[in-house]
Amino acid sequence: MTRHFICYSTSDAAEFAARLCDELEAGHPTVPVWLDKRDVQPGQEWDEEVSEAIKTCLSLIFVMTLDSVDDESECKGEWTRALRYKKPIIPVKLHADAELPLRLDPRNYVDFTRARDSEEEYNAAMARLRKRLVWLGSPEGVLESMKDRLADAQRDLRRAQDAVRRARVEDDIEQLRKDIARQEEVVRDPQAAQRRVEESIARGLERERQPPRAAPETRRAKFINPPPGLSPSYFQDRQMETGTLASFLKDESVRLITVIGRGGTGKTALVCRLLKSVEGGQLPDGGGPLSVDGIVYLSAAGTRRVNTPNIYADLCRLLPEETAQQLDALYKNPQASTELKMQSLLAHFGEGRVVVLLDNFEDVINRETHHVLDEELDEALRALLNLPHHAVKVIVTTRVAPQDLALVQPGRQRPLHLDEGLPSPYAENILREMDADGRVGLRTSPDELLGEARERTRGYPRALEALFAILAADRDTTLSDILRDTVKLLPENVVHDLVGEAFSRLDPAAQKVMQALAVYGHPVTPAAVDYLLQPHQPGIDSAPVLKRLVNMQFARRESGRYYLHRVDRAYALARVPRGEPSDRGEAGAPPYTQFALLHRGAEYFKETRLPAEKWKTVEDLAPQLAEFDLRCAGEDYDAAAHVLFQIDFEYLWTWGFYRRMAEMHERLQGKLSDPLLEQMSVGNLGIAYNGVGQVQKAVACYERAIRLSRDNRNRPGEGAWLSNLGNCYCHVGDTVLAADYYVQALAIAREVGDRRLEASILDNLGICKNLLGQTPDAITYHEQALAICRETGDRRSQGNVLGNFVDALIGEHRYAEAIERALEGVAIAEELNSPNLRSFNYVNLAQARFYAGDLPGAREAAETACRYDEPSNNHFVSALLGLILLRQGDVPAARDAFASAVAQADALLTFSKENLRALYSKALALCGLALCGDAGRAGEAAGAYRAARAINKDAGIRTRVLLLFDTLAEADVAGVLAGVRKAAAGEE
């Protein structure tokens, strides 16, 4: 809790200070105070505790006695420090002949001189003091504090002797006059000031709701996203490290370099300086020419975060539009593994040189295990290291090295440790160059003093910047003062402590602006800062403050948005009291706590949401994703769940961001208070797990969701999760158990009247019956499902049902009817422009025509299916096309198709060895390759068939597999496949 600091002399005011403390804290309204005798505990460093208390206090209450106003009194050091930290000072006159120190003139004091002789006078004086302290936080009180600071500055200007000192004071006076003018407007007409702020915020919100979109013709670019930091012109040296990075870029055998160093060592500046030079085709420091075909900048602290979707999408922006669209379709397929996606993407970067920067990588690393937290990101980087040759190179900057990742293909990686800061004279040069106009005295400081600064800061760039920030924020401080005051600075704390000191020298308004940026944790506009602080700072206008913070090396700016260095953010946020969860529910004037601010920040992102009809890409969901983060940070998990449910299935899942969907739901587990939300979240987590092949995790989630549904007597939920559980068992080959769950779910769907769920379950039951060899029953179920889909107008489900219906009709040799249904499914797929439905319905049409004897028509349909990249179906499409081509006598083309089928099946099998469809497609394609001249593949085919039959022995699957095998074997005039049929039939 922030308190008022009591400054007094122990020799003649100890008793009075203790009573003052008691009275202020016990009265009404309560005024929290800090008193050394009570708040410095035994064993603590007194001077450090006092300094910290002054840094964080609301004001300093200076008890004026004969001893406390003496020049040799310790009180002078305390109120001088308070002036340095821009704290209001409230003089309390206890001794009549105690004179106010000149530097505190003309502050008005609260008179307690007669209080010692009269209890009535004491109570009256106490009431005045209490009122004064409460009033300090009002617009009028803020204005008076500014005027006091202006009077101090004007007095200092009259006494300033040298030009540098005068310039610094004049700058402060100019800034204070601007601040006072704005604050006077708030005091003079608070309603008008409030309207101005509200109108400004409204304009900012409107801009956020309508983000500019790049024209299609300008989508392609060579350098993607703004760099996470622009290396300033004064950044020097690091020549050895720059040379190491340059060698990495030139070496085709190395794919990833990790730049490791503590916060503030200049990792980002080092890399961005190099890459900015490379953008122009040259290495820095005369390193010679080096061309790149593209650079992608991503930062965990910036607007474009470090994750697989962003890496994938941004690399796609370097490719032709048509190629990018095909890769985007692949990424959105939940059945495609991360390795397959990266393999397909990186195959388009066979030549040249492309660089990806992953900045602030420590944010995605577990600090205890040093493992990459994001499983999909870990898989993507592993694939980048393991896959065959490609031209993409990754630079990682991090405070924490990812240990497990470092063990993957170590020969293709390099570490670069930035343990040391900049040496002399480069650190000294930085200090001089930052002081471009000489206003803070660094440019003319003697070499010896700058050398001491380098030694004390260890040459860390962020610590050097913090030194400059301290001087820029406090005209009364010199470099000598800082070095003297920080004599106890420890090397391991140098960046944190100097950043904290710099923050403490800012005025209260600037501190709150920094805290607002810290609360958001995302780069935001001035409107966002104004929205957050409006209840606490009427008339807030953060834009000029933010610009000033950038100039003073406190904040970063990127594309009109502002954010903080990681060290600054941690310090600024720690200066905001955590508060209580109930704070977020306070209306009108919420307390200034983390809980309240996180809630209001989340509300800002809620206000910036785009209309639903404009949700076309994941970037359009940025407000919801940011809001979710803040809701979780503020422990408002139920509200976070409501945000997620609006986007998880219809958007994140549909667009292929199922890993992100899983990660977000994982953050909610065990933290939701609403039973319905808990059930929905764990169930949707199961959907995400099932989509990426983590079937056992999905089963556990569905079983828990079913239990929760039953506990809460939620029959619709129970039916839905039973159906999803059936899907899991169907996928792993336990058809009988899957059918049992479908039957249970069907009864519930009919009980509650959920027609769409009923249709889905009937269709799934049809699939089970077909797999079990009970084809007539399968057809009946599909017909019932199709009738409901037509009744409800659910065209997508209708297209799915038709595809499954065709498969059952083929099993009954009803080829003409199968062709008719397949054409109907194709028409729906074209109508909905669905690649998924096109792939499945065209390949079903190809099958029906093939068995009907129409080889040209079958080939046309299969080749059409090939155009729609559907990883979960590609292997079968290629295998069937190979079979058709072989029957037509086109052996070379058939060989290519069979080879593609094997590769496509293997890509899925590396992800899940129990993928039955992939195993059977691979086995069929290997048989085809054996007939195309590679007889040795027959043994591999038998092995694939045996692996598949070990997973599932359903009669319907056996029938379909043998039908395809026997059709292929008609071309086996040499008996190459003799013996393979037994493996396919499961007879050995």
Side-chain angles (χ1 to χ4, degrees):
M1 179 174 64
T2 309
R3 297 179 284 182
H4 299 268
F5 183 98
I6 299 179
C7 170
Y8 68 101
S9 169
T10 56
S11 66
D12 57 4
E15 184 178 342
F16 174 79
R19 184 179 181 187
L20 199 65
C21 178
D22 292 338
E23 295 280 353
L24 288 172
E25 291 192 332
H28 181 77
T30 297
V31 176
V33 296
W34 190 95
L35 184 67
D36 57 353
K37 297 299 183 184
R38 300 186 182 184
D39 290 292
V40 178
Q41 302 301 316
Q44 293 178 326
E45 291 285 346
W46 183 86
D47 55 345
E48 292 181 7
E49 292 298 312
V50 169
S51 176
E52 185 67 13
I54 296 174
K55 281 183 183 179
T56 59
C57 72
L58 292 170
S59 75
L60 182 138
I61 303 170
F62 175 39
V63 180
M64 296 167 53
T65 60
L66 288 174
D67 188 70
S68 71
V69 299
D70 187 87
D71 278 348
E72 301 302 319
S73 171
E74 288 186 353
C75 292
K76 182 177 180 180
E78 291 176 355
W79 60 254
T80 299
R81 189 177 292 270
L83 288 176
R84 183 184 304 161
Y85 295 140
K86 317 289 193 298
K87 301 298 181 181
I89 297 178
I90 312 300
V92 169
K93 191 168 186 176
L94 184 59
H95 292 171
D97 46 357
E99 295 291 334
L100 185 68
L102 181 63
R103 288 189 63 189
L104 298 183
D105 189 59
R107 288 171 175 80
N108 295 319
Y109 58 80
V110 179
D111 192 354
F112 271 79
T113 57
R114 293 190 295 275
R116 290 186 294 177
D117 302 323
S118 167
E119 192 67 21
E120 183 178 348
E121 288 287 347
Y122 179 90
N123 291 335
M126 179 60 68
R128 291 194 297 273
L129 176 59
R130 188 186 306 278
K131 182 178 180 181
R132 179 79 175 277
L133 293 172
V134 172
W135 175 80
L136 277 177
S138 69
E140 293 82 2
V142 171
L143 178 60
E144 180 175 280
S145 296
M146 289 179 176
K147 289 181 176 179
D148 285 341
R149 288 171 50 210
L150 177 60
D152 293 341
Q154 290 170 331
R155 181 177 55 253
D156 290 346
L157 181 62
R158 290 192 295 270
R159 291 166 173 76
Q161 299 296 317
D162 62 89
V164 171
R165 170 70 172 161
R166 289 187 63 84
R168 294 178 70 182
V169 177
E170 287 169 351
D171 286 345
D172 268 9
I173 290 174
E174 180 183 0
Q175 185 61 53
L176 281 164
R177 283 174 173 163
K178 291 178 181 178
D179 294 342
I180 288 171
R182 282 192 291 266
Q183 190 65 21
E184 284 176 337
E185 290 181 11
V186 174
V187 172
R188 183 169 53 251
D189 192 342
Q191 290 76 24
Q194 183 175 343
R195 284 195 303 271
R196 175 184 58 77
V197 175
E198 290 174 350
E199 290 168 1
S200 175
I201 292 173
R203 290 192 298 270
L205 286 170
E206 189 59 32
R207 286 192 295 270
E208 290 287 299
R209 296 188 193 107
Q210 297 181 354
R213 294 186 180 277
E217 61 270 18
T218 62
R219 182 178 184 271
R220 304 297 110 191
K222 190 173 182 180
F223 308 116
I224 310 300
N225 309 320
L230 293 177
S231 180
S233 59
Y234 54 72
F235 189 90
Q236 300 181 29
D237 193 46
R238 297 291 194 199
Q239 293 182 6
M240 183 180 299
E241 293 87 348
T242 300
T244 301
L245 287 170
S247 298
F248 160 74
L249 293 178
K250 294 175 182 178
D251 190 344
E252 293 185 1
S253 67
V254 186
R255 299 180 181 178
L256 186 147
I257 188 167
T258 305
V259 184
I260 309 157
R262 63 197 305 169
T265 54
K267 302 180 294 295
T268 302
L270 166 68
V271 177
C272 288
R273 176 175 181 261
L274 171 79
L275 294 182
K276 196 63 182 174
S277 181
V278 169
E279 284 187 15
Q282 293 286 329
L283 289 167
D285 304 324
L290 184 77
S291 63
V292 294
D293 299 287
I295 300 176
V296 173
Y297 295 99
L298 297 171
S299 173
T303 54
R304 193 73 170 160
R305 298 299 177 100
V306 174
N307 56 50
T308 303
N310 287 344
I311 294 173
Y312 192 94
D314 289 349
L315 283 172
C316 283
R317 291 173 63 187
L318 296 170
L319 299 171
E321 187 73 36
E322 183 178 354
T323 302
Q325 289 177 352
Q326 293 172 355
L327 290 168
D328 182 61
L330 169 63
Y331 187 85
K332 291 177 179 177
N333 190 300
Q335 300 300 325
S337 68
T338 302
E339 182 177 9
L340 174 62
K341 295 172 185 177
M342 294 301 293
Q343 181 181 18
S344 301
L345 172 66
L346 296 173
H348 294 281
F349 293 96
E351 298 179 352
R353 185 182 293 109
V354 171
V355 184
V356 178
L357 170 60
L358 306 181
D359 191 44
N360 289 118
F361 199 78
E362 66 273 1
D363 276 19
V364 296
I365 296 178
N366 185 304
R367 299 303 178 91
E368 296 179 359
T369 65
H370 291 196
H371 297 166
V372 178
L373 290 167
D374 184 333
E375 185 178 346
E376 185 180 25
L377 178 61
D378 186 53
E379 291 175 6
L381 292 175
R382 288 171 181 267
L384 182 137
L385 290 166
N386 284 321
L387 287 169
H389 172 77
H390 57 79
V392 175
K393 306 175 80 66
V394 174
I395 301 176
V396 169
T397 69
T398 181
R399 283 184 276 176
V400 181
Q403 292 183 352
D404 280 4
L405 187 63
L407 301 177
V408 180
Q409 296 287 349
R412 294 177 174 175
Q413 300 190 56
R414 296 286 185 274
L416 175 57
H417 293 274
L418 257 63
D419 297 322
E420 300 298 327
L422 297 173
S424 180
Y426 302 105
E428 293 92 330
N429 290 345
I430 280 184
L431 289 171
R432 287 195 173 99
E433 290 296 324
M434 279 192 290
D435 186 17
D437 56 10
R439 291 296 180 95
V440 300
L442 290 173
R443 182 167 286 276
T444 56
S445 291
D447 293 342
E448 295 77 12
L449 191 61
L450 294 180
E452 184 182 351
R454 173 186 54 77
E455 292 175 3
R456 298 284 294 284
T457 61
R458 300 188 67 183
Y460 291 154
R462 183 61 194 134
L464 295 170
E465 290 177 340
L467 278 183
F468 173 80
I470 294 171
L471 295 170
D474 183 7
R475 68 175 184 275
D476 292 324
T477 296
T478 65
L479 181 58
S480 297
D481 295 335
I482 299 174
L483 297 178
R484 183 178 61 253
D485 291 345
T486 58
V487 68
K488 294 183 179 180
L489 199 65
L490 298 176
E492 58 270 22
N493 300 331
V494 61
V495 175
H496 173 273
D497 288 354
L498 286 176
V499 163
E501 186 67 23
F503 175 86
S504 300
R505 305 290 177 110
L506 291 171
D507 61 82
Q511 287 187 2
K512 281 189 167 57
V513 168
M514 281 193 68
Q515 289 169 336
L517 295 178
V519 166
Y520 278 118
H522 294 255
V524 292
T525 63
V529 175
D530 291 348
Y531 183 96
L532 191 70
L533 296 179
Q534 186 184 16
H536 310 283
Q537 287 186 265
I540 176 72
D541 181 9
S542 65
V545 180
L546 287 164
K547 292 178 182 177
R548 186 154 44 97
L549 289 172
V550 170
N551 293 334
M552 296 166 68
Q553 307 294 332
F554 281 101
R556 278 32 177 181
R557 186 177 187 273
E558 178 187 310
S559 303
R561 297 173 186 271
Y562 297 84
Y563 64 99
L564 300 179
H565 187 283
R566 277 291 184 258
V567 178
D568 299 67
R569 182 184 179 230
Y571 189 91
L573 191 59
R575 289 302 185 193
V576 182
R578 182 64 175 166
E580 300 294 335
S582 58
D583 292 347
R584 58 176 173 255
E586 293 285 341
Y592 193 76
T593 65
Q594 289 187 32
F595 277 110
L597 292 171
L598 287 165
H599 173 73
R600 187 163 176 85
E603 290 295 307
Y604 172 79
F605 284 121
K606 183 177 180 180
E607 292 279 348
T608 65
R609 293 181 189 176
L610 297 175
E613 62 271 15
K614 293 186 179 181
W615 298 355
K616 306 299 182 185
T617 69
V618 72
E619 284 79 13
D620 299 327
L621 301 180
Q624 287 92 327
L625 298 174
E627 180 186 352
F628 178 86
D629 286 343
L630 292 189
R631 300 286 187 201
C632 289
E635 300 180 13
D636 194 359
Y637 296 108
D638 285 11
H642 282 294
V643 175
L644 181 53
F645 290 140
Q646 296 173 33
I647 61 173
D648 64 342
F649 197 74
E650 290 297 321
Y651 298 96
L652 294 178
W653 172 265
T654 301
W655 294 341
F657 297 101
Y658 33 84
R659 292 297 183 92
R660 179 174 290 188
M661 173 179 165
E663 183 272 334
M664 293 172 78
H665 277 293
E666 285 170 344
R667 292 170 66 181
L668 300 178
Q669 300 312 297
K671 298 172 181 175
L672 296 170
S673 60
D674 186 320
L676 177 60
L677 295 180
E678 183 182 13
Q679 173 226 127
M680 292 171 62
S681 181
V682 72
N684 283 9
L685 178 58
I687 291 174
Y689 282 150
N690 193 39
V692 297
Q694 297 180 348
V695 180
Q696 294 307 314
K697 284 187 175 182
V699 167
C701 286
Y702 291 143
E703 288 176 342
R704 184 171 167 229
I706 291 168
R707 289 194 300 271
L708 290 168
S709 299
R710 288 170 177 167
D711 290 345
N712 296 291
R713 300 179 181 178
N714 184 336
R715 295 289 280 168
E718 181 183 353
W721 304 128
L722 281 166
S723 179
N724 278 282
L725 187 57
N727 292 342
C728 282
Y729 285 109
C730 189
H731 290 163
V732 297
D734 197 339
T735 314
V736 174
L737 184 56
D740 180 56
Y741 282 118
Y742 288 141
V743 169
Q744 294 180 53
L746 181 62
I748 294 174
R750 287 172 170 168
E751 172 193 327
V752 300
D754 189 334
R755 297 288 279 165
R756 292 198 173 197
L757 179 60
E758 181 182 357
S760 173
I761 297 170
L762 287 167
D763 187 40
N764 288 334
L765 276 170
I767 294 171
C768 287
K769 294 297 182 180
N770 194 22
L771 294 175
L772 292 168
Q774 302 167 19
T775 315
D777 290 342
I779 290 173
T780 299
Y781 281 122
H782 290 315
E783 286 175 337
Q784 292 175 4
L786 191 60
I788 295 174
C789 288
R790 287 171 173 160
E791 173 191 326
T792 59
D794 188 347
R795 297 288 281 169
R796 181 171 292 277
S797 294
Q798 188 177 341
N800 284 323
V801 172
L802 284 166
N804 296 321
F805 197 174
V806 169
D807 201 42
L809 290 170
I810 290 173
E812 286 290 290
H813 309 293
R814 293 160 59 176
Y815 303 130
E817 190 175 351
I819 291 171
E820 181 182 350
R821 296 299 189 194
L823 287 170
E824 187 180 347
V826 163
I828 292 175
E830 295 293 345
E831 170 196 329
L832 298 178
N833 191 27
S834 169
N836 176 279
L837 287 179
R838 283 169 170 160
S839 175
F840 281 99
N841 282 290
Y842 272 114
V843 80
N844 284 333
L845 178 60
Q847 278 194 92
R849 285 175 172 172
F850 175 73
Y851 290 121
D854 179 8
L855 290 181
R859 177 174 179 171
E860 179 187 11
E863 288 175 337
T864 303
C866 282
R867 294 205 297 267
Y868 303 104
D869 189 9
E870 177 59 43
S872 64
N873 199 40
N874 287 343
H875 50 81
F876 180 65
V877 173
S878 296
L880 181 63
L881 178 59
L883 175 55
I884 296 167
L885 293 168
L886 189 63
R887 289 290 299 272
Q888 287 185 317
D890 191 347
V891 176
R895 183 187 297 111
D896 290 343
F898 287 135
S900 294
V902 172
Q904 290 158 345
D906 278 340
L908 292 185
L909 290 168
T910 58
F911 188 59
S912 174
K913 294 180 179 179
E914 295 184 342
N915 191 319
L916 275 176
R917 293 188 76 242
L919 277 169
Y920 279 124
S921 293
K922 179 179 179 179
L924 180 66
L926 287 168
C927 289
L929 288 173
L931 297 181
C932 291
D934 191 357
R937 309 306 288 269
E940 294 181 52
Y945 278 127
R946 281 192 288 269
R949 293 300 291 167
I951 296 171
N952 181 281
K953 295 181 173 60
D954 290 342
I957 294 179
R958 179 179 184 276
T959 299
R960 290 190 298 167
V961 167
L962 289 178
L963 180 60
L964 283 167
F965 178 87
D966 291 340
T967 304
L968 178 67
E970 292 178 15
D972 186 17
V973 295
V976 173
L977 300 179
V980 178
R981 193 180 193 283
K982 286 187 176 181
E987 296 174 354
E988 58 175 34

